[in-house]
Amino acid sequence: MAQEVGVRSVQDLKQFGSDLKRLSEQLSAAFHAAEKKMNRVCEGWNDVSNQKFMNAFQKDAKQIDEIANRIVEYAKFIGKSAEILEMYRSNRI
């Protein structure tokens, strides 16, 4: 099955899944840190322009969180696929 689906290395597949999970964590952490800084910087800036900026930024932050969550789901899928491929390979040997 592994060769039939074009997977050269199950280990590479697992590594890709791990890399995706790490990407998700880094993306979330970086954007949450930026959001905290934005809130601190904007404390004394109370006008319409600031409110528009903060609303747009918070909307984007929510979308980034959704993307990060989807990346985690992709990583889980890849991990499960790698496990299935390993089981298949071990049964063929």
Side-chain angles (χ1 to χ4, degrees):
M1 179 178 167
Q3 292 173 337
E4 290 88 350
V5 295
V7 175
R8 292 184 201 150
S9 169
V10 174
Q11 188 57 38
D12 286 348
L13 191 60
K14 286 177 149 182
Q15 184 61 50
F16 179 60
S18 295
D19 291 346
L20 283 177
K21 186 173 186 287
R22 190 171 30 263
L23 171 65
S24 173
E25 292 165 355
Q26 291 170 345
L27 183 61
S28 290
F31 222 82
H32 287 292
E35 192 172 23
K36 284 181 183 179
K37 287 179 184 179
M38 179 206 56
N39 288 330
R40 190 175 61 243
V41 167
C42 292
E43 284 177 0
W45 179 24
N46 293 322
D47 63 8
V48 175
S49 178
N50 176 47
Q51 194 59 44
K52 285 181 182 179
F53 170 77
M54 288 183 71
N55 288 340
F57 191 93
Q58 289 170 343
K59 180 182 173 188
D60 291 344
K62 190 174 187 177
Q63 291 175 335
I64 294 292
D65 277 340
E66 290 171 5
I67 291 169
N69 289 334
R70 275 188 259 150
I71 290 171
V72 168
E73 293 305 313
Y74 298 152
K76 287 179 185 177
F77 173 78
I78 289 170
K80 288 178 186 176
S81 296
E83 286 179 24
I84 291 168
L85 289 168
E86 280 184 329
M87 287 175 25
Y88 177 79
R89 281 186 171 174
S90 67
N91 288 334
R92 286 186 82 203
I93 296 175

